[in-house]
């Protein structure tokens, strides 16, 4: 063995001079054929806690992987440094194809077998000592928001690829296969259904519905997910399902996308679950009329009414300790001197508890109906001139994601890897795991939500500057990225060892 490996695993590793010392002799893994060296790997089953804690990523190589892949789909510049640009790599775009090609070429060169399913999800698998069982996967997504940053999703995939490199560098032989996944259209920006491809994989979203989703960027685009998958060559032949591509577990590294870890000066978020949320489209219909010739008393102003509804959603959510947001608003006819007669807006309701989301939805529906009828509820219309003409309101439910609770085994593996990295024991009493970390519930949805429906799952958060995400200035320091990648690596290897002990 090389001196690097000897240092990493101590005398125990150095004494491993023949393959016969392995507990599970199998056919030589494919990744070991890339060198003529006679070196022998170390099995995870034989690694001590100290050995596990010694595995570390190469921070410079990790950051190079992030920034190199961000050459495809550069977005808005927010600073003077070379890497101070955001990202605009929409799902199934030409730049997304370039990132996908990189994923395939890089993981294949690392000895992985790569396949693509009917939703374009990419799965790269590094063989283990027992390959008759499903892999333990790590990953995230490579698509971004139209004005996104360099870390959301991208960190999770590039860190998982770095994990493969570290396993190869140190000749670690996992008991079971280890995989990396790149999920398609997690953002839901271009094709308006977030986490759609992991949802198809889990069996929650019909593949036909997903394939028929139309692109909303640019406006009036006629492309569908299926037509774009075909165009860029990523409509895979493998069915998109958990039966066709089973997972033993799923780990996902992600920036927090919020301010808590940075504010509390914690290095790692150990994610226990994802909060519940629902998306709606609300349509308000009034009557177009001339702004100068129609008095307030005789208007059916759809935009004014919609704005009152949006304010009401904020008040109702605040009352219940929940969140309500509007990110899309369209109106007609769109003329300076015409009162809008038609308005449509999005409504996003979130809470850690399903029942709270349902309660906010129920109260918003009642409030919106009352406001459309001209009733001054929640003091929303105080100071406004009452009108004798009213509006109508209709709701459409676009997406429902119930609260997700991750698997205890995966959470424990993340917590142990974080404690080893940060040099603190950290118990779990009263949710206190030490100053290095924090148990958290994700406020945003991730592909892990759907993965969790079919296999044990957990997530790892690292701090991002000012809690900013979905923004060109999104940033996590190289040290924070390496922290997260190290915990991801440690959690996957610990889970592999746990599988081997059962």
């Amino acid at each position: 063995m090389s001196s690097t490996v000897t240092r990493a695993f101590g005398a125990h590793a150095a004494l491993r001079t023949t393959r016969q010392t392995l507990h599970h002799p199998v056919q030589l893994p494919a990744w070991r054929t890339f060198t003529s060296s006679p070196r022998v790997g170390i099995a995870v089953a034989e690694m001590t806690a100290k050995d596990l804690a010694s595995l570390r990523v190469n921070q410079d190589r990790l950051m190079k992987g992030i920034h190199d892949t961000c050459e495809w789909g550069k977005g808005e510049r927010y600073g003077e440094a070379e890497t101070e640009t955001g990202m605009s790599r929409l799902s199934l775009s030409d730049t997304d194809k370039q990132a996908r090609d990189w994923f395939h070429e890089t993981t294949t060169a690392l000895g992985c077998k790569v396949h693509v399913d009917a939703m374009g999800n990419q799965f790269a698998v590094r063989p283990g000592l027992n390959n008759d069982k499903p892999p333990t996967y790590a990953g995230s997504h490579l698509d971004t928001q139209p004005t996104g940053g360099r870390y959301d999703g991208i960190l999770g995939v590039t860190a998982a690829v770095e994990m493969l490199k570290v396993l190869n560098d140190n000749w670690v032989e996992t008991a079971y296969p280890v995989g990396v996944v790149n999920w398609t259209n997690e953002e839901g920006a271009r094709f308006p259904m977030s986490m759609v491809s992991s949802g198809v994989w889990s069996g929650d979203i019909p593949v036909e519905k997903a394939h028929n989703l139309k692109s909303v960027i640019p406006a009036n685009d006629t492309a569908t997910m299926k037509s774009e998958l075909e165009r860029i060559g990523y409509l895979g032949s493998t069915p998109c399902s958990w039966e066709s591509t089973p997972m033993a577990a799923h780990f996902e590294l992600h920036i927090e996308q919020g301010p808590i870890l940075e504010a509390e000066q914690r290095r790692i978020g150990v994610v226990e679950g994802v909060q519940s949320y629902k998306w709606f489209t609300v349509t308000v219909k009034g009557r177009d009329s001339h702004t100068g010739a129609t008095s307030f008393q005789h208007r059916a102003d759809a935009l004014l009414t919609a704005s009152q509804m949006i304010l009401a959603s904020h008040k109702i959510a605040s009352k219940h300790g929940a969140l309500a947001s509007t990110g899309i608003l369209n109106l007609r006819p769109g003329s300076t001197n015409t009162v809008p007669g038609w308005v449509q807006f999005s409504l996003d309701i979130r809470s850690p508890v399903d029942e709270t989301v349902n309660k906010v939805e129920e109260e918003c529906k009642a409030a919106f109906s009352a406001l459309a009828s001209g009733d001054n509820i929640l003091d929303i219309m105080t100071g406004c001139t009452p009108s004798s003409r009213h509006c109508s309101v209709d709701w459409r439910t676009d997406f429902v994601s119930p609260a997700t609770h991750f698997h205890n085994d995966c959470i424990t593996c993340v917590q142990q890897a974080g404690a080893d990295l940060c040099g603190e024991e950290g118990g779990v009493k009263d949710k206190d795991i030490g100053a290095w970390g924090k148990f958290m519930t994700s406020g945003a949805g991730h592909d892990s939500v759907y993965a969790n429906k079919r296999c044990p799952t957990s997530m790892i958060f690292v701090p991002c500057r000012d809690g900013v995400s979905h923004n060109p200035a999104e940033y996590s320091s190289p040290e924070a990225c390496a922290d997260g990648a190290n915990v991801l690596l440690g959690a996957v290897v610990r889970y592999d060892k746990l599988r081997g002990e059962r």
Side-chain angles (χ1 to χ4, degrees):
M1 278 192 169
S2 71
S3 58
T4 300
V5 176
T6 301
R7 286 197 300 273
F9 300 118
H12 173 71
L15 290 173
R16 295 176 46 80
T17 58
T18 66
R19 185 167 178 77
Q20 283 70 35
T21 59
L22 295 176
H23 292 318
H24 308 288
V26 296
Q27 183 179 0
L28 192 68
W31 61 267
R32 295 185 61 192
T33 66
F34 283 87
T35 175
S36 59
S37 168
R39 291 170 58 187
V40 176
I42 181 169
V44 168
E46 298 180 0
M47 293 171 67
T48 66
K50 186 176 181 180
D51 292 336
L52 293 171
S54 297
L55 285 174
R56 290 291 179 261
V57 303
N58 181 321
Q59 179 176 305
D60 291 341
R61 184 172 63 186
L62 170 67
M63 299 311 298
K64 185 176 187 302
I66 291 172
H67 295 313
D68 282 354
T69 62
C70 287
E71 289 299 304
W72 305 306
K74 278 186 179 179
E76 296 179 16
R77 176 165 291 281
Y78 69 90
E80 297 302 318
E82 182 180 354
T83 61
E84 289 183 331
T85 64
M87 291 297 295
S88 183
R89 188 162 63 214
L90 295 174
S91 184
L92 308 186
S93 63
D94 290 343
T95 53
D96 187 32
K97 172 180 165 49
Q98 290 177 292
R100 289 165 171 275
D101 291 347
W102 164 85
F103 180 92
H104 180 91
E105 293 166 6
T106 302
T107 55
T108 299
L110 292 170
C112 294
K113 183 177 180 180
V114 184
H115 74 273
V116 180
D117 70 16
M119 286 302 299
N121 298 317
Q122 293 177 280
F123 303 91
V125 179
R126 179 185 191 266
L129 294 173
N130 300 285
N131 293 302
D132 57 343
K133 299 293 184 182
T136 299
Y137 277 92
S140 192
H141 60 96
L142 289 172
D143 67 306
T144 77
Q145 289 286 333
T147 55
R150 290 179 168 241
Y151 301 87
D152 177 356
I154 297 169
L155 171 61
V157 176
T158 52
V161 172
E162 171 65 18
M163 171 191 72
L164 296 179
K165 294 178 181 178
V166 174
L167 295 177
N168 283 7
D169 289 346
N170 293 284
W171 288 73
V172 175
E173 295 184 298
T174 54
Y176 299 94
V178 168
V180 177
V181 57
N182 169 35
W183 297 104
T184 299
N185 193 56
E186 189 274 349
E187 293 291 359
R190 184 182 181 195
F191 301 97
M193 185 176 290
S194 68
M195 312 174 305
V196 62
S197 298
S198 55
V200 174
W201 175 88
S202 70
D204 289 80
I205 299 172
V207 67
E208 295 81 7
K209 181 177 182 179
H211 276 173
N212 289 327
L213 283 173
K214 286 190 176 181
S215 168
V216 296
I217 301 174
N220 302 315
D221 193 0
T222 60
T224 64
M225 284 204 77
K226 185 175 182 180
S227 71
E228 287 296 88
L229 283 166
E230 291 173 328
R231 184 184 69 83
I232 68 170
Y234 277 92
L235 180 64
S237 58
T238 302
C240 182
S241 72
W242 60 275
E243 294 103 335
S244 297
T245 307
M247 294 185 175
H250 181 274
F251 291 88
E252 184 174 5
L253 167 63
H254 211 280
I255 60 171
E256 181 194 352
Q257 301 183 282
I260 296 173
L261 291 175
E262 182 183 58
E264 296 185 6
Q265 297 183 323
R266 298 180 189 262
R267 293 168 66 180
I268 297 293
V270 181
V271 186
E272 296 182 292
V274 178
Q275 69 178 343
S276 171
Y277 65 97
K278 289 185 178 182
W279 289 357
F280 306 94
T281 297
V282 182
T283 303
V284 182
K285 295 179 181 179
R287 188 175 71 172
D288 304 356
S289 57
H290 195 289
T291 57
T294 311
S295 66
F296 284 154
Q297 293 94 328
H298 296 95
R299 293 184 183 184
D301 190 332
L303 181 56
L304 178 62
T305 303
S307 66
Q308 293 166 345
M309 292 174 179
I310 293 168
L311 179 56
S313 72
H314 181 91
K315 286 192 170 187
I316 293 167
S318 296
K319 182 179 71 172
H320 290 285
L323 298 170
S325 305
T326 293
I328 299 174
L329 190 146
N330 297 298
L331 61 84
R332 292 200 300 258
S335 170
T336 299
N337 61 345
T338 303
V339 175
W342 182 93
V343 172
Q344 193 171 75
F345 64 91
S346 64
L347 182 64
D348 177 327
I349 300 174
R350 300 186 185 231
S351 168
V353 181
D354 291 330
E355 291 74 14
T356 302
V357 171
N358 294 337
K359 187 65 176 175
V360 172
E361 175 191 356
E362 176 187 341
E363 292 190 19
C364 282
K365 284 182 173 178
F368 289 11
S369 294
L371 289 166
S373 299
D375 297 337
N376 184 23
I377 61 155
L378 300 175
D379 232 15
I380 297 292
M381 297 171 64
T382 299
C384 295
T385 302
S387 174
S388 60
R389 299 188 182 278
H390 302 144
C391 297
S392 64
V393 59
D394 293 303
W395 286 65
R396 183 184 75 216
T397 301
D398 297 320
F399 192 70
V400 177
S401 182
T404 300
H405 304 284
F406 291 145
H407 197 281
N408 286 336
D409 286 346
C410 294
I411 294 170
T412 298
C413 287
V414 171
Q415 187 267 328
Q416 290 173 344
D420 283 342
L421 173 71
C422 300
E424 295 185 28
E425 289 292 330
V428 295
K429 182 179 179 182
D430 298 326
K431 298 292 184 182
D432 179 14
I433 56 175
W436 62 269
K438 184 182 185 69
F439 283 124
M440 306 185 77
T441 296
S442 174
H446 302 278
D447 288 308
S448 288
V449 170
Y450 283 120
N452 188 68
K453 293 175 180 286
R454 296 299 179 183
C455 68
T457 299
S458 188
M459 294 187 68
I460 302 147
F461 278 172
V462 291
C464 51
R465 185 171 57 197
D466 297 328
V468 170
S469 183
H470 286 196
N471 184 296
E474 172 184 280
Y475 176 80
S476 262
S477 70
E479 294 76 18
C481 292
D483 278 351
N486 278 316
V487 174
L488 179 71
L489 167 65
V492 169
V493 174
R494 280 166 177 78
Y495 193 83
D496 180 75
K497 186 175 179 67
L498 182 64
R499 293 177 70 187
E501 293 170 351
R502 290 181 172 175

